[in-house]
Amino acid sequence: MKFRISALRAAAAKLSPVTPAAQPSVDFSRGPQQEHQTFYELRTYNIHPHLNSAFIQLTNEKIHLRTAHSQLIGYWTVEYGGLNKVFHIWKYDSYSHRAGVRSALSKDPTWVSDYLSKAIPMLSSQENEVAYLLPWSQLQTPPQEGGVYELASFSMRPGGPAVWGDAFQASILSHDAPGYSKLIGAFHNEFGPLNKVYALWWYESADKRAEVRHKAHTDARVVAAVRSSVAQLVSQENKLMFPLPFSPLK
């Protein structure tokens, strides 16, 4: 049977409108909005294996040329979860601040000749991401110098913190408690892989981390929080890292 569109529209107009049940308003693009311009650049450098020691020595000797331009948060070598890698975090007040820093570095002859021209050939690749601290996280310092850091990354389902934020926060904070881990900061990516969050942890040692992880797996409170967050999780990975001598986070 064929119906004229005009007839269908006329019939539809006679129907009483149905008001749908109220639905919560969610901004699926971002969730809680960023309240300030400060961001963190997360950099990973992959080093040619035979030049790993030389790169670290050069960086240790010349890093002051780089930190003269902007604030270094931490600089680590990756021990487990990757080989011949370094990971570092830089803080910027805004994108224009970073652009100014990059411009100044390119015009700094000492930086270019004494470090950059020597370091670049030692690298096989470079990666960077831009991230904000999650609203409930503040950058912390470890209770003492020494120890190891774990960088855990989580790829979440699309939707942003508005969708998975509460469950993720509960999962992370259940571990950030006396006798467990020390959370240094939790970050949400703005550029790079989207819907990705990082948790940076500190432990007294790699063996202490193993002990803490075993303890957490038997804690009903932690297990319940993790199970709730896992429903929004796509994948995860981690790295265990040692801070270099010049790293502000030691």
Side-chain angles (χ1 to χ4, degrees):
M1 299 178 66
K2 296 182 179 180
F3 295 91
R4 291 181 179 274
I5 293 177
S6 58
L8 290 174
R9 286 176 176 168
K14 296 178 181 179
L15 296 176
S16 299
V18 178
T19 302
Q23 296 294 323
S25 176
V26 176
D27 178 359
F28 283 97
S29 63
R30 291 181 60 84
Q33 296 297 300
Q34 190 66 26
E35 296 181 356
H36 51 77
Q37 293 183 304
T38 300
F39 68 86
Y40 299 85
E41 183 178 11
L42 316 181
R43 287 189 163 232
T44 302
Y45 292 171
N46 294 290
I47 309 165
H48 291 297
H50 66 291
L51 296 173
N52 188 67
S53 296
F55 176 84
I56 291 174
Q57 181 179 345
L58 176 66
T59 303
N60 188 56
E61 294 172 353
K62 302 298 183 179
I63 192 66
H64 65 280
L65 300 174
R66 178 61 184 82
T67 55
H69 291 271
S70 64
Q71 183 180 355
L72 174 65
I73 299 300
Y75 205 117
W76 299 267
T77 58
V78 177
E79 182 69 14
Y80 300 108
L83 295 174
N84 304 301
K85 293 177 182 284
V86 292
F87 174 77
H88 35 128
I89 302 176
W90 300 86
K91 181 180 179 181
Y92 295 98
D93 298 332
S94 64
Y95 291 103
S96 59
H97 175 213
R98 181 185 181 277
V101 168
R102 302 301 295 173
S103 177
L105 282 167
S106 68
K107 299 172 185 176
D108 183 338
T110 306
W111 162 254
V112 172
S113 63
D114 289 7
Y115 183 77
L116 194 61
S117 63
K118 298 175 182 177
I120 290 299
M122 298 181 183
L123 303 179
S124 58
S125 65
Q126 298 172 279
E127 303 166 14
N128 76 332
E129 301 169 43
V130 167
Y132 295 107
L133 280 169
L134 285 165
W136 46 266
S137 177
Q138 299 295 321
L139 200 61
Q140 305 291 327
T141 56
Q144 64 190 54
E145 292 189 359
V148 300
Y149 289 76
E150 179 184 10
L151 181 69
S153 64
F154 307 84
S155 295
M156 310 300 289
R157 295 186 182 278
V163 175
W164 43 256
D166 290 343
F168 180 78
Q169 178 180 356
S171 174
I172 293 299
L173 295 183
S174 69
H175 290 84
D176 185 27
Y180 285 96
S181 312
K182 172 62 178 177
L183 180 65
I184 301 300
F187 304 86
H188 178 212
N189 259 22
E190 180 72 8
F191 290 105
L194 297 178
N195 302 299
K196 190 172 185 178
V197 284
Y198 287 100
L200 182 62
W201 302 97
W202 176 89
Y203 301 91
E204 292 178 22
S205 66
D207 286 327
K208 185 65 176 179
R209 178 194 176 276
E211 176 188 328
V212 165
R213 294 288 293 174
H214 177 75
K215 180 180 178 182
H217 291 163
T218 61
D219 186 325
R221 177 184 60 89
V222 175
V223 171
V226 170
R227 282 178 176 171
S228 178
S229 179
V230 162
Q232 302 296 333
L233 183 65
V234 176
S235 64
Q236 64 188 95
E237 61 182 79
N238 65 346
K239 299 176 178 64
L240 198 72
M241 311 182 301
F242 293 150
L244 288 172
F246 57 81
S247 175
L249 283 175
K250 291 185 170 57

